[in-house]
Amino acid sequence: MFDIKKKFPDGFLWGGATAANQLEGAWDKGGKGPSIADTLPGGKERFAIANSQKFDWKLDSKEYTYPNHRGIDYYYRFKEDIKLFAEMGFKCYRFSIAWSRIFPQGDEEIPNEAGLRFYDRLIDECLKYDIEPVITISHYELPLNLAKSYGGWKNRDLIKFYERFAHVVLERYHSKVRYWMTFNEINSAFHFPVMSQGLVPSSGANDFTNIVQSWHNQFVASALAVKIGHELDEHLQIGCMILYATSYAYDANPINQYANLKQMQDFNFFCADVQVRGKYPQTTARMLKEHDVDPTALEITDKDLELITQNTVDYIGFSYYMSRVTDVTSEHGEGVSGNLIGGVANPFLKSSDWGWQIDPKGLQIALNELYDRYQKPLFIVENGLGAKDIVEKDGAIHDDYRIGYLKQHIEAMRGAIADGVNLMGYTPWGCIDLVSASTGEMSKRYGFIYVDLDDEGKGTLDRSRKDSFYWYKKVIESNGEEL
Ligand code: BG6
């Protein structure tokens, strides 16, 4: 009865993850409308530019490049790429449906049939190889018109547009696709509201009231998608998706411990609490007060709350790249340069070339924390190392650093399973090199498959297998035994 589980369960979902805006390209083909991602320039300043007062959603300018326009040309090459996923033995493949391929402006009544036909073909291609599709309905790719003309997610109208979009794709694909997620990294608006809520300074991104209102609207929209999905088929598995970063207090100083507790409650748990437990956590009032949000300024109806309560998610999808450290006593004050979500440097950890602190044990902790709290199946739908790769003269790519990173994280997963955690699957991020979300670079590579394309958009776009490709194939073949 109390046997320790030493192995990954049978049917464990090994695979990989991508998002439409970061790889499809063909940004204005097949009737697709522009999305917010199509306005983001390439380069490390991407977020700083989007967060500046001057930013005005341009799709073209002499000053910048727009790498998401071309992605890695996947729209035209997906068959070749899925064949490579199949060669690695993928059991599942997580991807998103570009909202503006289906509703080019976001507010139309009738979907764009050409866009749907693309995903018909993509899904059928996965099924041809027995790869289970895992779909993110919305992954940082809001139709641009909904950001420009409606002001992003703070506007309640977006609930009905999302509902329409979710209805169309769930209805069309529910018989072929069992696993869904409603919003990618919904909590990430704490740090980059432009991506997850379509909010920039000119539409109120600097006012936390707008961020909270956007979250509420997204919670309602997410609950509606869960409702639609379960009405179509009660067996559909519809999850939330959060950006999880294990957070440590810098030291045993109770002041830091308490600040860290609040960091956990707000960043890691607030959104998941609503989507998993079906109600706002008791910490909400405190969090709003600390961000100067007047609760009476929020539009939240009883009907909304009922919908949220009645339509909770089936599993918890989350991304895990790094941990963070809280120190409010300012004695160790240096931030981690590039660590996406801030914090001070952890002296026990190394960082990636982009400054993200690498912490496999933190993943084991995350899995325990999430399972302790929610008792729902967990799905790691993003994890990986963004790194520069070198192509040898013979074409080989010896990415032992990536193998090392993934291996340690898979060991941590095995540890968490032995701790009693119910883990459904693992889809490392960017299983094929794609455009980085935070920097728009190609040189920040995560893939098992190399794509010949550089930061200036030059290259043949040819695909090739890295050492990690062969390694991951063995991991899957042995169900995680051979690392
Ligand atoms: C997650 C996103 O935050 O991290 C992905 O869901 C993103 O879209 C991934 O690509 C890695 O981040 P980056 O900035 O290295 O691409």
Side-chain angles (χ1 to χ4, degrees):
M1 184 183 173
F2 296 119
D3 287 349
I4 296 245
K5 292 198 184 71
K6 295 201 182 94
K7 291 182 171 177
F8 286 91
D10 290 343
F12 189 78
L13 292 166
W14 297 99
T18 63
N21 73 88
Q22 290 171 255
L23 91 170
E24 283 181 5
W27 72 288
D28 58 354
K29 297 288 181 303
K32 180 181 171 295
S35 86
I36 51 167
D38 296 322
T39 68
L40 299 177
K44 291 205 168 69
E45 298 306 307
R46 162 176 270 213
F47 281 168
I49 293 166
N51 284 326
S52 75
Q53 284 295 344
K54 284 193 316 201
F55 186 74
D56 59 358
W57 302 116
K58 273 204 193 106
L59 285 157
D60 195 14
S61 87
K62 286 207 181 82
E63 252 175 295
Y64 305 119
T65 58
Y66 294 86
N68 298 63
H69 288 193
R70 191 173 178 209
I72 56 161
D73 216 26
Y74 176 86
Y75 185 75
Y76 301 106
R77 295 168 192 245
F78 71 90
K79 288 194 179 176
E80 182 193 341
D81 296 338
I82 291 173
K83 193 168 176 209
L84 288 166
F85 300 161
E87 192 183 320
M88 273 187 279
F90 276 20
K91 308 285 180 210
C92 74
Y93 167 45
R94 172 183 177 228
F95 58 91
S96 68
I97 296 185
W99 187 342
S100 64
R101 245 184 229 300
I102 312 303
F103 290 98
Q105 301 302 316
D107 56 0
E108 299 91 337
E109 303 259 331
I110 308 289
N112 169 34
E113 186 56 29
L116 287 164
R117 276 204 300 274
F118 170 67
Y119 293 104
D120 292 347
R121 292 191 294 134
L122 172 54
I123 291 168
D124 287 345
E125 202 60 22
C126 293
L127 298 178
K128 178 168 131 190
Y129 298 107
D130 285 328
I131 296 175
E132 185 105 47
V134 177
I135 294 183
T136 320
I137 298 176
S138 176
H139 189 133
Y140 293 165
E141 48 215 359
L142 186 73
L144 182 57
N145 177 47
L146 299 187
K148 271 174 90 169
S149 316
Y150 291 83
W153 267 103
K154 69 176 193 290
N155 186 329
R156 266 190 92 91
D157 284 350
L158 266 71
I159 300 174
K160 68 171 182 284
F161 300 141
Y162 177 94
E163 184 186 7
R164 198 176 290 153
F165 168 47
H167 192 270
V168 165
V169 294
L170 280 158
E171 186 161 65
R172 186 139 171 154
Y173 301 124
H174 72 90
S175 59
K176 295 179 175 179
V177 179
R178 185 160 178 238
Y179 297 98
W180 298 79
M181 271 165 280
T182 55
F183 286 96
N184 183 63
E185 294 187 335
I186 187 163
N187 56 328
S188 67
F190 268 111
H191 297 283
F192 22 97
V194 57
M195 305 287 272
S196 61
Q197 300 184 332
L199 288 181
V200 287
S202 58
S203 53
N206 297 331
D207 179 349
F208 206 70
T209 308
N210 291 323
I211 291 176
V212 179
Q213 185 65 60
S214 299
W215 268 326
H216 178 72
N217 296 343
Q218 290 179 317
F219 295 147
V220 175
S222 172
L224 283 164
V226 172
K227 183 169 188 282
I228 296 165
H230 286 161
E231 278 170 6
L232 285 163
D233 180 347
E234 59 182 350
H235 301 298
L236 289 196
Q237 294 291 299
I238 309 175
C240 59
M241 195 309 201
I242 55 170
L243 192 181
Y244 199 92
T246 302
S247 191
Y248 309 108
Y250 188 85
D251 53 25
N253 185 337
I255 293 172
N256 282 334
Q257 292 287 336
Y258 178 61
N260 188 59
L261 174 73
K262 289 197 293 182
Q263 166 69 25
M264 290 289 290
Q265 290 172 333
D266 297 354
F267 186 76
N268 286 324
F269 296 135
F270 169 72
C271 291
D273 279 354
V274 181
Q275 293 180 289
V276 181
R277 292 170 160 171
K279 58 179 190 191
Y280 279 93
Q282 79 284 353
T283 52
T284 309
R286 192 264 307 142
M287 183 181 88
L288 297 185
K289 186 162 184 287
E290 285 179 358
H291 286 90
D292 289 327
V293 176
D294 170 6
T296 62
L298 298 169
E299 196 184 343
I300 298 178
T301 68
D302 289 346
K303 195 167 164 237
D304 294 346
L305 297 176
E306 202 180 304
L307 256 172
I308 289 171
T309 305
Q310 286 169 355
N311 298 284
T312 54
V313 293
D314 301 304
Y315 68 91
I316 297 155
F318 69 101
S319 61
Y320 178 86
Y321 292 94
M322 69 195 99
S323 57
R324 49 155 285 144
V325 175
T326 308
D327 177 18
V328 289
T329 54
S330 293
E331 280 158 27
H332 315 98
E334 240 175 78
V336 189
S337 115
N339 213 355
L340 199 63
I341 46 153
V344 303
N346 186 330
F348 300 100
L349 301 177
K350 292 200 173 99
S351 297
S352 77
D353 289 347
W354 275 261
W356 296 13
Q357 291 214 287
I358 301 169
D359 183 9
K361 192 48 103 184
L363 176 59
Q364 187 171 351
I365 295 170
L367 287 160
N368 274 279
E369 282 167 339
L370 282 166
Y371 198 61
D372 278 351
R373 190 175 181 99
Y374 300 120
Q375 298 285 299
K376 289 264 183 197
L378 304 178
F379 197 167
I380 303 166
V381 295
E382 284 187 35
N383 172 242
L385 180 71
K388 287 198 170 113
D389 289 329
I390 295 166
V391 186
E392 306 291 342
K393 283 207 182 83
D394 62 357
I397 297 147
H398 302 305
D399 56 343
D400 48 320
Y401 36 89
R402 184 168 295 109
I403 294 174
Y405 176 103
L406 295 169
K407 191 175 162 176
Q408 288 181 324
H409 285 76
I410 295 174
E411 273 162 0
M413 285 155 48
R414 206 194 340 242
I417 290 171
D419 294 335
V421 167
N422 178 357
L423 180 61
M424 302 158 54
Y426 181 56
T427 56
W429 175 249
C431 46
I432 180 164
D433 293 345
L434 38 64
V435 177
S436 156
S438 60
T439 67
E441 293 165 300
M442 267 312 292
S443 52
K444 190 181 187 192
R445 296 171 184 274
Y446 288 86
F448 304 112
I449 301 163
Y450 185 86
V451 177
D452 181 23
L453 185 67
D454 67 17
D455 290 340
E456 277 73 52
K458 295 195 189 83
T460 60
L461 287 162
D462 284 351
R463 282 44 172 161
S464 53
R465 297 165 186 79
K466 305 182 192 176
D467 285 359
S468 57
F469 180 101
Y470 302 102
W471 169 82
Y472 193 45
K473 184 176 187 313
K474 276 205 196 124
V475 172
I476 299 179
E477 244 164 36
S478 64
N479 198 24
E481 287 295 294
E482 226 178 288
L483 297 180

